[in-house]
Amino acid sequence: MLLGSEVPNFTCASTEGEINFHEYIDGSWAILASHPRAFTPVCTTELGFMAAAKGEFDKRGVKVMAISADTVEENLEWSKDIKEVEGTEVNFPIFCDADRSVCELYNMLEAGDDTAMPATVRSVFVIGPDKKLKLSITYPPSTGRNFDEILRVVDSLQLTANKSLATPVNWVDGEKAVILPSVSKEDADAKFPGTQTHNTFPNPKPSRNAIANANPNVNPNPKP
């Protein structure tokens, strides 16, 4: 899948019943996180964190979902284990992709060989209200994801979705953002009062690095 392309639809069993993916996320931001197998220690910590952070996702208008290559019964038992180990109730659906059809559809598999079935990897997809892919990151099975970074990226995506802005290195919500060079100084001053302008290259037509002085409000559900 390429960034900006519509993510494939699928219908799959889950811990909350059968779900049509496109219908479920319609009009909302969404995160789909794949997990190698139920009951594995790293996956357990990740789902525990996702459950504990659900309020942060809700605040941003993001629907959170997980997927593992296991049956409904196995994932329901795993949910009990997550509550016992991590102290959090799983409060989002886990897709039960026992035949790995969704994992194959979304290319969430390691390269395999003729001797073993390919392992599922730790992929995370951030999807916009238009059902288009905004971000994808894949981690190896041995490395747990950094969900603080994923939340940071969601903040950036939502801020820049319908504003002429980009976010600089290590940006976090509340800090200054960069105004796109395509925006004229006059428009920048009108849209973002207090804009700072810096000439970054000493040439006849210097590139302009304009920085919005005040952080614009993030719209959790910008129109596509």
Side-chain angles (χ1 to χ4, degrees):
M1 285 187 294
L2 299 177
L3 292 182
S5 64
E6 184 173 280
V7 298
N9 192 24
F10 61 86
T11 299
C12 186
S14 83
T15 52
E16 297 185 5
E18 188 173 84
I19 292 176
N20 178 285
F21 188 54
H22 276 192
E23 291 178 0
Y24 185 79
I25 68 174
D26 189 39
S28 297
W29 287 81
I31 288 177
L32 177 64
S34 66
H35 299 269
R37 291 307 298 265
F39 299 102
T40 54
V42 175
C43 297
T44 297
T45 63
E46 289 186 319
L47 262 69
F49 183 91
M50 290 169 64
K54 189 169 183 295
E56 290 297 317
F57 292 112
D58 289 345
K59 184 169 67 177
R60 293 162 171 82
V62 178
K63 291 183 177 179
V64 179
M65 293 146 283
I67 182 169
S68 71
D70 302 280
T71 66
V72 172
E73 293 74 18
E74 288 169 324
N75 280 321
L76 288 172
E77 286 300 313
W78 184 27
S79 297
K80 297 176 185 177
D81 188 62
I82 293 167
K83 181 178 180 181
E84 180 178 346
V85 174
E86 295 295 314
T88 52
E89 190 96 36
V90 176
N91 44 20
F92 50 83
I94 304 174
F95 288 112
C96 308
D97 188 33
D99 64 0
R100 300 188 177 208
S101 59
V102 180
C103 289
E104 291 179 1
L105 181 65
Y106 275 70
N107 197 26
M108 297 185 283
L109 299 171
E110 282 190 320
D113 54 38
D114 294 334
T115 63
M117 183 179 294
T120 50
V121 292
R122 300 183 193 285
S123 295
V124 60
F125 303 95
V126 178
I127 302 157
D130 54 2
K131 303 185 183 70
K132 292 182 179 179
L133 182 65
K134 308 302 181 183
L135 170 82
S136 65
I137 309 175
T138 296
Y139 297 72
S142 58
T143 303
R145 280 161 283 217
N146 185 333
F147 278 94
D148 289 333
E149 166 64 4
I150 292 167
L151 282 167
R152 186 191 78 86
V153 174
V154 168
D155 287 337
S156 174
L157 288 168
Q158 292 185 341
L159 175 66
T160 61
N162 59 353
K163 295 181 172 67
S164 301
L165 295 172
T167 55
V169 61
N170 296 331
W171 176 91
V172 294
D173 186 31
E175 294 183 348
K176 296 175 182 179
V178 177
I179 300 172
L180 297 180
S182 57
V183 180
S184 69
K185 186 178 186 307
E186 292 73 20
D187 287 344
D189 290 339
K191 292 179 180 179
F192 309 103
T195 294
Q196 301 171 359
T197 302
H198 306 277
N199 290 339
T200 55
F201 297 101
N203 59 39
K205 295 184 67 175
S207 297
R208 184 172 52 80
N209 186 14
I211 301 176
N213 204 23
N215 182 51
N217 292 327
V218 174
N219 178 5
N221 286 296
K223 294 181 179 178

